[in-house]
Amino acid sequence: MGWFRRSGDNRPTLVSVLKAGASSAAGAGALLSPRYVLTCAHVVTEALGKTQTDTEPPTRSARLDVVLRQGTQCHRSTARPVVWVPPRRSPRSNWGEGDLAVLELDEPAAPSMPAVVWQDMTEWLKVRAYHGGGDPGTFADTEIKAADDWYYYADADLSGASIQHGYSGGPLFRQRDLTVAVGLVTHHVVNERLSSDRQVMRRTLTVPWQHIHDELVRAEAHDVINALSDPLTDTGNVPDGAVDRLQELFDSEEQLKYQADRLARKLGLQMTAEESATAVLQLEEELAVLLFSEGRALATLDELLTEKVDDRRRTTLKRLVAYGLEAEGVRLLSVREHRRLLELLTPVNTAHPRLLCQAARHVLLLADRLPEWVRDGAVPEERLAAAVDDLDRVGADMMPPLLRLAVLLTAAVTDKAIRGKLDAWCDDVGRRLGRDPSLLAEYRAQASQWVRSRRRSVTRIVVDLSRNDAVCEPYFCHFWRVREGRAPEATGISAGSYTAEEIGRLIHGLAGEQGDGGDEPFPRIDVVVGAQHLHMPVDGWTASTGQEEFARFGISAAQDCGLVLGAEYQVTLRLREFYPDTESEKDRRDNIERRWAAGRTDPLVIKDGTKLRVVYRALRDEHRDASWVVLHGGRDFREDLLKLCVALGVPVVLWDREATDVEHAQRLDSIVGGVALSDLPEAVRSFRQDVYYDESRTDAARPAVVWDDPGMVLPTPPAYNDPPDAVTNSGRMAAR
């Protein structure tokens, strides 16, 4: 670690390894990462109540109490040993070797507790150690004087605190930068005799970091080593040529240091006074690492320099920024642009809770997969920054997703002041990115059309479901919305495989957009399925856990408060097709249209015991115009009758999905009795609401409805190649 430090706070995180059953410390430790602590093996044995000379590894069930302190913060956790390097004799050192251990914390440290940054130990470094008790006033200063093949020896002046028992396992921090350590305290050399001018000794045995790292490699502690990598010194993500572009960008070392310091302060970092001889990398190399590891660094440097450099260096700067197109994790926005956008989006999200998800769904129309929050329909304030980060990425698009989102929001918000500030933000970002103003003007015109379009009421949401197996999830889905007076349109949700819970959330998000503070009714939900899936219990799928709903009111709902699709919306099933041949399917469609046109809205009730051939004759003769059939009876009886009804073009069929015999017929009486056909979907929804949210009604009906209205046009379905059991002739449904 040389030029940049992640925090201006120079206080280290102090680690205490406590004795079993006591509050006193067996020794200290070094925080390697939020999950791992490095200490000495003899500290662990003492903490477990053994003698320090015991080299037996701890059992897998062993747990130690560890306390982390950083300033006024205190973090307590238990930890288990995951790396064990016991003390061992060595011909290379009179004092032996090894004596290291790594502990894994059960509860990771908070992000505000910085881990140690390591450098190799060299002679004549001035270092500082802390007692395992964790009191910052116990610091003891010493100096690295000499080295043998394993230990480095440190001698201290005869003033201040001395390193003694309880300091073992603690890191030796550089006095000039207490976030950087060079090794561990292992033992102090004890002088038992009376003091004299020839006998006083303050000598400490220390293990240098380079030996510690070698031991971790030898122990194959890969997870620990990977957790050590400091992104500010890891050159693995720096594109070839980036350092060369940086050297071309600055005319002198002084200018490089000046701009690097400005950038560090913008990113909340601190540039140290470290001489290049002791830094891990040269300044331009570490700056390149910073640009491609800190997400907003590259955009922030671009913002700092774009208007300050001449044309030649501006070209070099844009070439450097272009490396970010392929770099993972590089963000589109600078620190200032990001902060300003969040300040503007917070009141927009409060005034229009569902607007952000609607706009994001439109922006991501062709995306392979939508972020989870888009499905929820609304974004809570505490998740707003994370939602922005999902879209804040660099790409080859002339209009990046986040800029398109901001343009859509600008066109849709009602507050003129916010609209003006969002417009100015879009102009500033477009100018910094080098986008032609005419491109922004063109997209603003498209955004205005989108706003006019979304003001039309959504009357229906169509979900086409299919799956390979009649029992197992997931389902293969397509989603459309139907606006008043318009043909079905894509929703922006990618077609693909989803679980029942994911489908419920997506439908809930789409349907909820219509109820965004207005008086418009929620849209109908058409679930299009194959003939073999008419018993699919879509109405019982979870629409939302309810946590998000209550969170909007400041209520933390820990108990089960889920919302159910069929209780929230009018959910009906619709048959994709019944006959495999086109001619028979066309006849069935003609029968559906004829039955609707006849206008007979009283139900034909069919009960168990009625002969199948009798029903067949009735639906072809005296009830050839019946548009509504109610099925009662056992499951097998209903199964055959349901197939017969849909095959003969009966457009509306109602049955109790859980009924087992004719005695259950009365469970549907409250729906069937006196309800008009046009009111049936709402009557079923109301019934489901009463049943699903009343836990005492376990024996109530579970109504299922097939509703096939030719006036409610279905979209052209996809040609199903996956899953294989689905139809492939899209023309059969396109005509509907």
Side-chain angles (χ1 to χ4, degrees):
M1 177 95 176
W3 300 99
F4 302 102
R5 188 165 58 233
R6 293 196 176 280
S7 172
D9 191 346
N10 202 32
R11 293 176 297 181
T13 300
L14 304 181
V15 180
S16 303
V17 181
L18 304 183
K19 295 178 181 178
S23 59
S24 58
L31 186 63
L32 295 176
S33 74
R35 184 65 77 174
Y36 295 112
V37 166
L38 173 70
T39 187
C40 290
H42 78 264
V43 171
V44 173
T45 58
E46 183 176 347
L48 293 174
K50 303 177 183 180
T51 63
Q52 289 191 5
T53 57
D54 191 337
T55 60
E56 283 295 315
T59 63
R60 297 183 65 179
S61 60
R63 286 292 187 274
L64 297 92
D65 292 322
V66 177
V67 180
L68 279 61
R69 296 179 178 85
Q70 212 284 332
T72 59
Q73 297 182 79
C74 182
H75 175 81
R76 294 179 178 271
S77 178
T78 54
R80 65 184 183 96
V82 292
V83 177
W84 181 252
V85 183
R88 61 178 182 265
R89 295 185 179 276
S90 171
R92 302 184 301 168
S93 172
N94 293 332
W95 301 92
E97 295 181 0
D99 196 15
L100 299 170
V102 176
L103 310 177
E104 183 178 16
L105 298 172
D106 293 330
E107 295 292 335
S112 56
M113 292 186 164
V116 173
V117 177
W118 296 98
Q119 278 186 352
D120 287 353
M121 183 181 285
T122 58
E123 295 177 354
W124 307 111
L125 282 177
K126 294 183 181 296
V127 293
R128 174 171 293 181
Y130 291 86
H131 188 271
D135 184 348
T138 61
F139 70 89
D141 290 339
T142 188
E143 185 176 5
I144 307 299
K145 290 291 183 66
D148 66 14
D149 285 338
W150 177 258
Y151 289 106
Y152 278 51
Y153 299 95
D155 283 353
D157 296 333
L158 298 182
S159 64
S162 63
I163 296 176
Q164 51 188 299
H165 183 75
Y167 284 76
S168 292
L172 287 157
F173 296 103
R174 296 192 59 171
Q175 290 182 25
R176 292 176 55 188
D177 187 347
L178 295 179
T179 64
V180 177
V182 294
L184 285 190
V185 174
T186 56
H187 299 282
H188 63 282
V189 179
V190 179
N191 179 18
E192 300 290 355
R193 294 174 293 175
L194 296 175
S195 298
S196 72
D197 61 343
R198 293 180 182 272
Q199 295 170 338
V200 175
M201 182 182 295
R202 283 188 170 181
R203 177 159 293 167
T204 301
L205 300 181
T206 70
V207 181
W209 168 245
Q210 51 266 41
H211 292 176
I212 296 170
H213 188 270
D214 289 345
E215 287 294 331
L216 293 176
V217 172
R218 192 174 295 114
E220 298 184 348
H222 304 300
D223 291 343
V224 177
I225 294 170
N226 292 338
L228 290 172
S229 60
D230 180 7
L232 294 186
T233 59
D234 183 359
T235 59
N237 292 328
V238 178
D240 294 338
V243 175
D244 294 338
R245 299 290 84 76
L246 273 175
Q247 291 174 330
E248 295 172 10
L249 191 58
F250 301 106
D251 293 334
S252 64
E253 186 74 19
E254 290 73 20
Q255 189 182 60
L256 172 63
K257 287 183 178 179
Y258 172 71
Q259 296 296 352
D261 182 60
R262 289 182 69 203
L263 176 63
R265 285 186 276 113
K266 290 283 187 181
L267 298 173
L269 303 175
Q270 182 178 15
M271 189 171 173
T272 68
E274 197 76 61
E275 291 87 358
S276 59
T278 59
V280 177
L281 302 172
Q282 295 295 320
L283 176 55
E284 60 270 22
E285 294 174 324
E286 192 167 316
L287 179 57
V289 174
L290 181 68
L291 292 177
F292 294 96
S293 59
E294 291 291 312
R296 305 196 186 286
L298 194 60
T300 302
L301 181 68
D302 186 31
E303 183 183 56
L304 287 173
L305 298 181
T306 293
E307 303 299 330
K308 306 294 183 183
V309 295
D310 56 31
D311 291 342
R312 178 186 63 81
R313 288 190 294 168
R314 187 175 295 113
T315 300
T316 301
L317 176 62
K318 295 308 176 186
R319 288 175 180 172
L320 179 65
V321 172
Y323 287 124
L325 295 176
E326 303 297 330
E328 185 177 355
V330 173
R331 301 292 187 179
L332 175 77
L333 301 183
S334 69
V335 170
R336 185 187 67 85
E337 291 165 348
H338 178 257
R339 182 176 61 248
R340 187 177 167 202
L341 179 61
L342 287 179
E343 290 171 353
L344 293 172
L345 291 190
T346 299
V348 170
N349 195 48
T350 301
H352 308 274
R354 298 186 178 275
L355 179 59
L356 187 62
C357 290
Q358 294 173 20
R361 192 175 289 116
H362 184 76
V363 166
L364 302 175
L365 194 62
L366 301 179
D368 293 334
R369 200 77 171 173
L370 292 179
E372 285 293 320
W373 56 269
V374 175
R375 302 178 184 177
D376 295 336
V379 182
E381 184 176 343
E382 63 272 14
R383 292 172 59 192
L384 186 59
V388 170
D389 284 348
D390 281 338
L391 300 178
D392 186 8
R393 56 181 182 269
V394 177
D397 314 50
M398 288 304 292
M399 283 289 290
L402 196 55
L403 189 54
R404 283 187 282 148
L405 178 76
V407 172
L408 289 178
L409 297 177
T410 303
V413 296
T414 55
D415 188 302
K416 291 183 179 180
I418 294 293
R419 190 162 63 240
K421 292 177 181 178
L422 273 172
D423 256 337
W425 182 90
C426 293
D427 288 337
D428 290 346
V429 173
R431 189 180 307 111
R432 200 260 301 167
L433 295 175
R435 301 299 186 259
D436 192 300
S438 63
L439 184 66
L440 202 57
E442 180 182 347
Y443 197 76
R444 280 173 171 150
Q446 296 175 17
S448 297
Q449 294 178 359
W450 175 77
V451 170
R452 288 193 296 270
S453 172
R454 66 181 284 273
R455 286 173 183 156
R456 289 176 176 261
S457 299
V458 174
T459 57
R460 284 188 299 132
I461 291 169
V462 182
V463 184
D464 190 290
L465 295 183
S466 187
R467 61 180 176 183
N468 289 333
D469 191 282
V471 178
C472 299
E473 296 182 7
Y475 304 87
F476 196 82
C477 302
H478 287 73
F479 299 85
W480 294 270
R481 67 163 63 88
V482 181
R483 297 187 184 277
E484 184 178 3
R486 290 202 170 188
E489 62 188 39
T491 62
I493 298 175
S494 304
S497 296
Y498 297 91
T499 64
E501 182 178 353
E502 290 173 331
I503 295 168
R505 289 180 59 195
L506 289 168
I507 293 174
H508 182 58
L510 289 170
E513 292 177 4
Q514 191 60 29
D516 187 12
D519 297 326
E520 298 290 343
F522 286 121
R524 290 269 298 275
I525 314 298
D526 272 355
V527 182
V528 184
V529 296
Q532 70 275 35
H533 294 145
L534 285 172
H535 294 282
M536 195 180 292
V538 180
D539 54 278
W541 290 355
T542 300
S544 167
T545 61
Q547 304 287 347
E548 301 91 350
E549 316 294 326
F550 286 100
R552 292 192 297 164
F553 310 118
I555 301 172
S556 178
Q559 71 275 23
D560 180 18
C561 53
L563 305 180
V564 182
L565 273 179
E568 297 298 310
Y569 309 108
Q570 297 177 12
V571 178
T572 56
L573 299 169
R574 196 157 182 183
L575 188 62
R576 186 180 299 119
E577 69 172 12
F578 185 83
Y579 293 102
D581 61 287
T582 305
E583 191 61 34
S584 297
E585 183 62 21
K586 181 180 181 302
D587 290 342
R588 189 181 78 89
R589 301 302 313 164
D590 291 342
N591 283 332
I592 291 176
E593 293 186 13
R594 178 180 51 74
R595 289 178 185 273
W596 273 114
R600 289 185 57 182
T601 58
D602 51 317
L604 172 62
V605 180
I606 303 174
K607 295 185 178 181
D608 200 347
T610 308
K611 300 294 185 182
L612 196 62
R613 57 185 174 81
V614 174
V615 177
Y616 176 66
R617 184 188 59 79
L619 289 176
R620 296 191 64 181
D621 294 330
E622 66 265 32
H623 293 286
R624 66 186 308 270
D625 292 334
S627 56
W628 178 14
V629 170
V630 180
L631 301 179
H632 292 307
R635 192 183 307 274
D636 293 340
F637 176 75
R638 292 197 317 270
E639 180 74 22
D640 291 338
L641 279 180
L642 179 59
K643 291 179 180 178
L644 182 62
C645 289
V646 296
L648 296 178
V650 177
V652 179
V653 185
L654 170 70
W655 71 98
D656 179 358
R657 194 171 53 243
E658 299 299 325
T660 58
D661 54 54
V662 72
E663 299 300 324
H664 284 158
Q666 47 83 27
R667 304 201 308 186
L668 288 179
D669 286 348
S670 60
I671 299 177
V672 178
V675 67
L677 178 58
S678 59
D679 297 331
L680 180 63
E682 175 57 24
V684 171
R685 187 207 64 80
S686 179
F687 180 89
R688 287 168 173 164
Q689 186 177 61
D690 292 341
V691 170
Y692 285 130
Y693 297 150
D694 185 349
E695 296 180 357
S696 65
R697 300 187 63 179
T698 57
D699 62 341
R702 293 295 189 268
V705 183
V706 168
W707 185 283
D708 200 336
D709 184 350
M712 297 163 57
V713 179
L714 284 176
T716 301
Y720 283 95
N721 295 320
D722 179 20
D725 70 329
V727 297
T728 57
N729 186 353
S730 62
R732 293 175 184 166
M733 205 164 81
R736 301 168 61 182

